[in-house]
Amino acid sequence: MDDVVIKKLSSDEEVPYELLLLADPSMDIINDYVYRGDCYVAYINNNIVAAYIIVKTRPLTLELVNIAVSEAYQGKGIGKRLIFSAIDMARGEGARVLEVGTGNSSIHQLALYQKCGFRIVGIDRDFFKKHYKEIIIENGIECIDMIRLSMYL
Ligand code: COA
């Protein structure tokens, strides 16, 4: 595959909402993440193919709050590369813990995060019921709880 170049989005660049909406159906929540965090974008031949957002949640703790690869490029290892790049960036910034959360129904994402070294640390019960208006169904499972994962850097 052609080279993937990952860069931090600068404040004068357009936020790749279409991509970020793949990971989170709520525009309000995405806007909150964009406001509070840093968005990183992956390019192949100058086209945006993936993005992630990192937010500082507590001292020495960062959270990967949104990661998305455009549909045509999924399943080619870009998600994994983005996560490893986020881990390197978080280490470089001196953070000690990197966290991520995903839905109880997000089976592939749960596999991906664990393959990248995250471990399950808890369950935020009813998170999606409380914060999302629409019912989310994935893999035939209702998305209700957020599985919390983290890694020490
Ligand atoms: N079926 C099964 N497993 C899959 C999969 C699929 N279609 N897509 C990804 N995976 C899992 C596999 O475990 C894979 O591991 P492997 O390489 O050892 O087989 C691992 O994820 C890494 O795959 P990769 O190709 O790097 O993933 P990706 O580039 O497709 O990115 C997502 C993964 C989740 C970011 C991407 O699919 C996506 O943008 N999905 C929609 C948005 C989303 O759900 N974001 C996360 C919200 S929590």
Side-chain angles (χ1 to χ4, degrees):
M1 196 200 300
D2 291 321
D3 265 4
V4 181
V5 178
I6 301 169
K7 284 194 230 159
K8 189 165 160 177
L9 197 75
S10 57
S11 52
D12 58 339
E13 284 176 298
E14 238 175 81
V15 175
Y17 284 111
E18 215 177 297
L19 259 176
L20 299 173
L21 280 164
L22 292 175
D24 195 316
S26 165
M27 198 68 167
D28 288 347
I29 291 179
I30 291 176
N31 275 325
D32 179 62
Y33 291 154
V34 169
Y35 176 73
R36 290 194 290 130
D38 290 323
C39 182
Y40 289 78
V41 176
Y43 299 83
I44 292 182
N45 297 328
N46 288 324
N47 297 314
I48 294 181
V49 297
Y52 69 85
I53 300 176
I54 289 260
V55 174
K56 183 169 184 187
T57 50
R58 288 188 297 283
L60 305 177
T61 303
L62 296 178
E63 181 169 345
L64 181 62
V65 291
N66 185 311
I67 177 162
V69 176
S70 73
E71 270 157 15
Y73 286 89
Q74 288 177 11
K76 299 177 193 298
I78 296 174
K80 245 187 203 170
R81 280 183 60 178
L82 244 56
I83 292 172
F84 287 127
S85 138
I87 294 168
D88 282 349
M89 185 278 295
R91 275 201 190 107
E93 290 205 353
R96 302 299 300 276
V97 178
L98 182 62
E99 297 184 335
V100 69
T102 193
N104 58 283
S105 50
S106 301
I107 305 299
H108 300 323
Q109 292 80 343
L110 273 169
L112 168 63
Y113 296 138
Q114 292 178 87
K115 284 177 184 180
C116 292
F118 287 94
R119 290 186 57 191
I120 293 173
V121 289
I123 298 170
D124 193 344
R125 279 179 74 85
D126 293 318
F127 177 90
F128 293 95
K129 252 192 186 162
K130 283 186 209 147
H131 298 286
Y132 290 79
K133 288 181 202 119
E134 271 116 54
I135 290 178
I136 305 166
I137 311 263
E138 281 177 303
N139 302 304
I141 306 165
E142 187 177 346
C143 184
I144 303 169
D145 306 313
M146 183 186 276
I147 310 296
R148 302 290 311 164
L149 301 101
S150 88
M151 74 164 66
Y152 291 106
L153 297 168

